[in-house]
Amino acid sequence: MGLLTFKGGIHPEDGKTLAKDQPIKELLPGNELVYPLSQHIGAPAVPIVKKGDSVLKGQKIADAAGFVSAPVYASVSGTVKGIEKRFSPTGVKTECIIVENDHAYTEVVYSPVKSFEELSREEVIKKIQEAGIVGMGGAGFPTHVKLSPKDADKIEYIIANGAECEPYLTADYRSMLEHTEEIVSGMRIVLSLFKNAKAIFGVEDNKMDCVAKLKEAIKDEPRMEVMALQTKYPQGAERQLIHALTKRSLNSTMLPADVGCIVDNVETFESIHKAVIEGKPLFERVVTVSGDAVLNPANFKVLLGTNHRELIEKAGGFKEWPEKIISGGPMMGFAMPVLDAPVTKTSSGVLAFLKDEIKKDAPSACINCGRCVEVCPSRIIPSRLADLAQRNEEERFISMNGLECVECGSCSYVCPAKRQLKQAIGSMRKIALANKKKK
C-alpha cells in the first residue's frame, strides 16, 4: 500500500538535519518570566495574583475566563513583579503577568493517581481542563473543549498528529523518540473517553525511527495503530491529516468531530499524561532553536514564560545577526519583530536565518501559470482569490470558496511571480469570518 497523503502540497527543503539529532536538553530561565494571559484560542485568562504575591512553581496564576479558555500556571517560584503589557512572539503587545524568578524552583505538591481508570470520564476531562492544556501544535485550542463533543459515541478516530511537516522544526520528532511512553499513555487516557474510537498515530515517513518506536510501544494496544504518511507539506494540517488517515473530508464550516475525529499534537498527549497521571499542570514544552544563523541548533525543554533571547544564547548565539527571525515554522510561523518575547504554550520553535529570501524578491504580475492551483491542498484558486482580496470583493471571495483556505502558504512558495498570495487571502478570510460572526 502506498503512503497516505492528500492532493496538492509542496516539498520544501526541510532543514531538519540541523537539529534532529540533538537530544532534548533542559533549559533553566533567567531572572524574569513573562506569562501572557492569552496563550490559547478563546477568552484570555483572568489574573488571580497581584504585584508582590509570592508564587510556587506549578501554582495557578490566572484562571480560565469561560469554557473556551485556559488557566495559566507559574513555571518558577518567585514574586509577582506586576501585570502589564509585553510583546508576545507574534509582535503584539498583550496583558502579561511578570514573575521574578527566585531560582529555588520550589514546587507545589501535586496529586498523582496510580491509574486513570479510577477516575470518571468527567474527572479526567476536568483534570485536563484545570491543567490548562491546549493544542501545542500551534493552534492553541483548549483541549478539554475538543474532548467534549456533543455525542462522544460518534467519535471513531483519535488522531495523534506526529507529522511535524513544517521545515526545521524537530521538537515533536525528539518528543516521539524520547517521551514515547508518556505520549502513548496520554493517548490511552483520551481513548478511554470514547468507547467507539480507535487511535491513529500519524507520522511522516522521514521519521521512520519514530514509527518503529511507537509501534513497539503500542504492540499490546489493540485499539491503537501507527500509520506512515508521505513526507509533504502541509501533511500536518488538520483537514489534510484527517483525509490522509481516514479518507474523510471536512470544510471550513465543520469541526473534526463532525466527521467522527479528534486531532491533537503528540506533545499535547504527553501533557495529558502529566496532568492526569502525575497531576502536573502545563508549564513547560519542547522548543526547537534552529536556522542557518544559529551557531548550535538544539531542542530544549523550556519553562513557559522564558525569554526567546535566552534560548538563542543557550544555542550558542548567532553566527551573525539574522535578517529573519521566526516564531514557529517558516511556512505558518510569525516573523518576530522583537526577540524579547516569552515562550508560550504554542511556541514550537524559534528560527533564525541569515537572509530574508522573501524580502529580496519584489512581486510582479500573475503569469497565469496555475502552479498555485496545483499545490493548493484545499483545491481552490489562490491567484484569483488574492485578486479579489486586494479589491476587497468579499462576496465574490466567499462565493469562490475563499474561506476554505487553510493559510498553509504553499501557493506563495511556488509562485514564480513572488506574489504574497497567502497574506492577501488570509487577511480577507479574517475580515469575512469577522463579518460572518457579526451577522
Side-chain angles (χ1 to χ4, degrees), residues 311-379:
L311 274 68
I312 297 294
E313 290 171 355
K314 190 72 172 180
F318 295 131
K319 298 173 184 175
E320 59 183 79
W321 192 259
E323 286 189 2
K324 191 85 167 185
I325 302 174
I326 298 172
S327 172
M331 299 300 294
M332 294 187 76
F334 301 91
M336 294 183 71
V338 294
L339 193 53
D340 289 312
V343 171
T344 69
K345 297 176 184 182
T346 58
S347 298
S348 54
V350 55
L351 309 178
F353 300 99
L354 295 172
K355 301 295 180 184
D356 186 345
E357 298 296 335
I358 295 174
K359 186 179 179 181
K360 72 179 183 181
D361 293 316
S364 57
C366 175
I367 62 172
N368 295 311
C369 65
R371 291 180 70 185
C372 62
V373 180
E374 291 175 7
V375 302
C376 178
S378 298
R379 320 313 295 156

Side-chain angles (χ1 to χ4, degrees), residues 8 28 33-34 40 89 130 146 156 186 192-193 239 244 248 252 261 330-331 386 392 421 435:
L28 293 179
L33 284 292
V34 177
H40 52 268
E130 189 62 21
K146 279 189 180 183
E156 298 176 73
S192 73
L193 305 176
R239 293 187 217 169
R248 299 182 180 189
S252 62
C261 298
M331 299 300 294
N392 203 31
L421 303 171
N435 290 337

Side-chain angles (χ1 to χ4, degrees), residues 10 19 21 70 87 90 100 112 122 143 149 241 279 289 353 387 393 400 425 436:
I10 56 175
D21 295 326
F87 279 109
T90 61
E100 184 175 0
E122 291 72 23
T143 302
L241 183 66
V289 183
F353 300 99
D387 289 340
E393 295 186 34
M400 286 191 67
I425 296 169
K436 187 177 180 182

Side-chain angles (χ1 to χ4, degrees), residues 76-390:
V76 298
S77 55
T79 305
V80 177
K81 292 175 66 176
I83 300 172
E84 58 189 62
K85 287 195 173 182
R86 294 285 187 92
F87 279 109
S88 72
T90 61
V92 177
K93 276 199 168 184
T94 182
E95 205 75 12
C96 301
I97 298 172
I98 319 299
V99 173
E100 184 175 0
N101 187 4
D102 65 9
H103 298 281
Y105 301 101
T106 309
E107 207 158 353
V108 302
V109 177
Y110 303 116
S111 301
V113 296
K114 290 182 179 179
S115 171
F116 67 86
E117 293 173 347
E118 63 189 59
L119 303 171
S120 67
R121 185 180 196 278
E122 291 72 23
E123 287 172 328
V124 169
I125 294 176
K126 185 65 177 177
K127 275 181 168 283
I128 293 167
Q129 180 179 12
E130 189 62 21
I133 298 174
V134 303
M136 297 171 74
F141 195 79
T143 302
H144 69 275
V145 180
K146 279 189 180 183
L147 301 181
S148 306
K150 290 180 180 178
D151 191 345
D153 291 344
K154 290 185 178 179
I155 300 300
E156 298 176 73
Y157 295 101
I158 309 297
I159 298 172
N161 186 351
E164 198 169 42
C165 60
E166 276 272 11
Y168 293 90
L169 299 184
T170 55
D172 287 350
Y173 169 75
R174 295 308 313 181
S175 292
M176 285 187 283
L177 280 183
E178 298 181 45
H179 304 151
T180 318
E181 293 299 331
E182 292 90 341
I183 292 169
V184 171
S185 172
M187 175 60 84
R188 199 177 291 122
I189 291 165
V190 174
L191 204 56
S192 73
L193 305 176
F194 302 97
K195 63 181 181 181
N196 297 325
K198 65 175 286 188
I200 302 176
F201 293 86
V203 184
E204 283 190 330
D205 69 327
N206 61 353
K207 309 174 189 68
M208 291 306 291
D209 45 355
C210 292
V211 170
K213 194 89 184 284
L214 284 163
K215 282 187 174 180
E216 175 63 23
I218 68 161
K219 63 183 180 181
D220 297 321
E221 302 283 352
R223 295 174 65 194
M224 296 188 192
E225 184 177 3
V226 182
M227 292 186 174
L229 299 156
Q230 182 181 334
T231 299
K232 180 169 65 170
Y233 179 84
Q235 189 70 263
E238 196 168 61
R239 293 187 217 169
Q240 283 62 51
L241 183 66
I242 288 172
H243 181 76
L245 295 175
T246 72
K247 301 308 175 189
R248 299 182 180 189
S249 300
L250 65 160
N251 59 41
S252 62
T253 67
M254 302 166 69
L255 295 172
D258 294 327
V259 291
C261 298
I262 288 175
V263 183
D264 259 314
N265 172 265
V266 287
E267 196 168 349
T268 306
F269 284 97
E270 182 182 351
S271 295
I272 289 171
H273 161 81
K274 289 178 180 176
V276 177
I277 303 299
E278 300 176 19
K280 290 184 178 180
L282 175 57
F283 56 68
E284 63 185 5
R285 67 158 298 135
V286 180
V287 180
T288 298
V289 183
S290 191
D292 61 5
V294 177
L295 190 61
N296 301 309
N299 300 288
F300 295 118
K301 181 191 284 187
V302 183
L303 295 174
L304 301 184
T306 301
N307 194 308
H308 275 82
R309 189 179 297 276
E310 294 171 25
L311 274 68
I312 297 294
E313 290 171 355
K314 190 72 172 180
F318 295 131
K319 298 173 184 175
E320 59 183 79
W321 192 259
E323 286 189 2
K324 191 85 167 185
I325 302 174
I326 298 172
S327 172
M331 299 300 294
M332 294 187 76
F334 301 91
M336 294 183 71
V338 294
L339 193 53
D340 289 312
V343 171
T344 69
K345 297 176 184 182
T346 58
S347 298
S348 54
V350 55
L351 309 178
F353 300 99
L354 295 172
K355 301 295 180 184
D356 186 345
E357 298 296 335
I358 295 174
K359 186 179 179 181
K360 72 179 183 181
D361 293 316
S364 57
C366 175
I367 62 172
N368 295 311
C369 65
R371 291 180 70 185
C372 62
V373 180
E374 291 175 7
V375 302
C376 178
S378 298
R379 320 313 295 156
I380 51 181
I381 307 175
S383 57
R384 298 293 175 263
L385 289 168
D387 289 340
L388 294 172
Q390 289 167 344

Side-chain angles (χ1 to χ4, degrees), residues 394 434-439:
E394 185 178 334
N435 290 337
K436 187 177 180 182
K437 190 174 182 181
K438 288 179 185 176
K439 293 176 183 177

